[in-house]
Amino acid sequence: MKLQNKVAVVTGGAMGNGYGIAEVFLKYGAKVIILDNSEQLGASLQSLKKPNNEVYGFQVDIRNMVMVKSCMEHIQNRFGGIDVLVNNAGVARLSKFEDMDDEMRDFHFDVNIKGTWNVTKAALPFMKSGSIVNLSSVTGPMVADVGEVAYATTKAALIGFTKSLAMELVEKHIRVNAIMPGYIQTPMVDGIAKETNAENPEMVIQGIAMGIPMKRLGTVEELGELAAFLASDESSYITGQGIVIDGGSTLPETMSVGV
Ligand SMILES: NC(=O)c1ccc[n+]([C@@H]2O[C@H](COP(=O)([O-])OP(=O)(O)OC[C@H]3O[C@@H](n4cnc5c(N)ncnc54)[C@H](O)[C@@H]3O)[C@@H](O)[C@H]2O)c1
């Protein structure tokens, strides 16, 4: 199995993409440790737990460096090191730039950028080699919708973080890559749909699907399979890259040309 006995830390694994990543990693034999601040963590750990797999969790806010460091020390003591880090935890709220207060801006910057920074900084002393996977997005580096300035800024920042860190960690044999998803069906996307149309969020989801060449949103399992590939030795010659997984959503050049 491609992740047999690898110790993998996954942030934000209580739901959504992180849950899918944890599930797929466990399928491939990894020992998975989830860091998440949600109260749903306990229930998620229960449903991920199967005979012959190892999954653990810490209820922690990745903005809290003291707590994050303490988690990493626990992981080091229990498992003897970390092979894979997936910086998946993230937040997205819609607000137009001119209406957005600094609190909303900082919420995005603190979780998506500084949280990723914290977890990486705290995990690195315990990584002798391995793979770091950061959840960026097509939103920011490639495309954007109205109300996404704060979110898009953070997701573009993670591409710079990925490339620069990849250069620094080559010598330690740690690869650093980013995943750039289009729309994946998760609670975050349900939240965006509700913010867009509180009365009929399902219509928003259907609208998103119609704009994607594959006519559907991605699943967390599909996202998890890409994360597993980047985490595994199968991707041993890939570093510093952002890999798009979007059902072709960033592909169309026009809405009108075609025979
Ligand atoms: N779903 C998509 O379409 C999509 C597209 C592109 C990128 N992404 C990225 O994928 C990642 C996961 O997104 P998702 O859609 O699964 O989101 P989600 O909201 O469904 O799940 C996010 C998880 O992160 C956790 N989390 C949030 N803030 C945290 C904090 N401060 N400390 C610890 N845990 C925290 C939440 O509790 C939750 O379990 C995010 O980085 C997001 O930007 C998602």
Side-chain angles (χ1 to χ4, degrees), residues 2-3 25 83-86 130-135 175-180 223-236 238-239 241-244:
K2 65 175 117 184
L3 296 176
F25 278 25
D83 301 300
V84 176
L85 168 63
V86 184
S131 171
I132 298 175
V133 181
N134 299 317
L135 266 288
R175 298 179 298 104
V176 189
N177 290 291
I179 296 180
M180 300 165 71
L223 191 291
E225 291 288 346
L226 174 57
F229 170 67
L230 290 173
S232 76
D233 297 339
E234 287 178 4
S235 59
S236 53
I238 302 177
T239 196
Q241 300 307 303
I243 313 290
V244 173

Side-chain angles (χ1 to χ4, degrees), residues 11-18 35-38 60-63 87-91 111-112 135-139 151 155 180-189:
T11 67
M15 64 190 87
N17 288 335
L35 270 55
D36 200 302
N37 67 348
S38 167
V60 64
D61 189 321
I62 59 167
R63 289 171 291 187
N87 283 308
N88 164 79
V91 292
V111 178
N112 296 0
L135 266 288
S136 173
S137 178
V138 295
T139 306
Y151 179 73
K155 293 290 141 177
M180 300 165 71
Y183 276 100
I184 311 293
Q185 185 69 62
T186 67
M188 177 186 279
V189 170

Side-chain angles (χ1 to χ4, degrees), residues 27 46 52 63 76 146 171 176 196-197 202 210-211 251:
K27 178 180 84 176
Q46 284 297 322
N52 301 323
R63 289 171 291 187
Q76 169 66 22
V146 170
E171 284 184 356
V176 189
T196 305
N197 184 344
E202 192 44 45
M210 289 310 294
L251 200 54

Side-chain angles (χ1 to χ4, degrees), residues 11-168:
T11 67
M15 64 190 87
N17 288 335
Y19 186 93
I21 292 166
E23 202 169 29
V24 173
F25 278 25
L26 289 167
K27 178 180 84 176
Y28 289 128
K31 296 169 186 173
V32 175
I33 303 104
I34 294 172
L35 270 55
D36 200 302
N37 67 348
S38 167
E39 285 177 1
Q40 207 176 300
L41 177 61
S44 303
L45 289 171
Q46 284 297 322
S47 62
L48 283 167
K49 186 99 198 83
K50 305 255 158 60
N52 301 323
N53 76 16
E54 285 191 58
V55 58
Y56 309 89
F58 292 96
Q59 193 168 353
V60 64
D61 189 321
I62 59 167
R63 289 171 291 187
N64 184 336
M65 185 50 157
V66 175
M67 293 290 290
V68 168
K69 264 189 170 164
S70 151
C71 293
M72 295 304 170
E73 281 156 15
H74 273 90
I75 294 167
Q76 169 66 22
N77 292 337
R78 170 75 176 75
F79 299 98
I82 296 166
D83 301 300
V84 176
L85 168 63
V86 184
N87 283 308
N88 164 79
V91 292
R93 304 279 187 279
L94 298 183
S95 175
K96 281 194 181 165
F97 181 72
E98 288 181 306
D99 303 330
M100 195 185 313
D101 57 27
D102 291 354
E103 202 180 329
M104 175 73 94
R105 176 200 64 195
D106 290 344
F107 176 57
H108 288 86
F109 289 15
D110 288 349
V111 178
N112 296 0
I113 301 177
K114 292 190 203 168
T116 296
W117 186 289
N118 285 343
V119 176
T120 308
K121 193 101 178 208
L124 263 178
F126 307 120
M127 292 184 78
K128 290 197 190 78
S129 63
S131 171
I132 298 175
V133 181
N134 299 317
L135 266 288
S136 173
S137 178
V138 295
T139 306
M142 297 178 74
V143 293
D145 279 324
V146 170
E148 295 180 339
V149 177
Y151 179 73
T153 301
T154 64
K155 293 290 141 177
L158 290 185
I159 295 297
F161 179 75
T162 298
K163 288 189 180 291
S164 198
L165 196 60
M167 281 299 286
E168 290 194 17

